[in-house]
Amino acid sequence: MADITKNPAYQKGLELASKSDCFTCHQVDDKLTGPAYREVANKYANLPDTIVAHLAGKIITGGSGVWGEIIMTPHPGLSQSDAEDIVRYILLLKK
């Protein structure tokens, strides 16, 4: 099995997520305020690549209902490109 931490998409997405407030509400394996990243990755892992842009849009605009009633705070300061890099990082965490 390949070491995903060597993947440039993993490294870039992790860096962007770390600079944002993502880890305040999400962890890789544990549910905090929001779902665990691995749970998100497993849910969306087998969907078409178009899911990346869709999920990036959800990061930017926020929302609720998919993972319960807790509202995800919008992140309007993130560019679409940076949000997509974060999504690619998350999707690499699938098991």
Side-chain angles (χ1 to χ4, degrees):
M1 177 181 247
D3 181 0
I4 64 167
T5 64
K6 304 291 186 213
N7 185 315
Y10 177 96
Q11 294 171 353
K12 185 172 186 179
L14 176 59
E15 179 183 356
L16 290 166
S18 297
K19 288 180 180 176
S20 186
D21 62 349
C22 300
F23 290 107
T24 302
C25 297
H26 302 276
Q27 294 293 308
V28 171
D29 288 306
D30 299 315
K31 180 183 181 334
L32 292 178
T33 305
Y37 279 158
R38 199 165 320 272
E39 187 177 5
V40 174
N42 291 337
K43 180 174 183 155
Y44 295 108
N46 296 318
L47 294 178
D49 288 343
T50 55
I51 197 65
V52 172
H54 172 74
L55 294 175
K58 301 270 294 177
I59 291 172
I60 294 168
T61 62
S64 67
V66 175
W67 297 94
E69 294 307 310
I70 300 294
I71 295 172
M72 185 168 116
T73 308
H75 298 82
L78 276 176
S79 69
Q80 180 72 24
S81 175
D82 284 352
E84 288 180 10
D85 287 336
I86 292 170
V87 170
R88 285 186 194 94
Y89 154 72
I90 294 167
L91 293 178
L92 285 169
L93 298 171
K94 72 180 169 86
K95 281 209 170 181

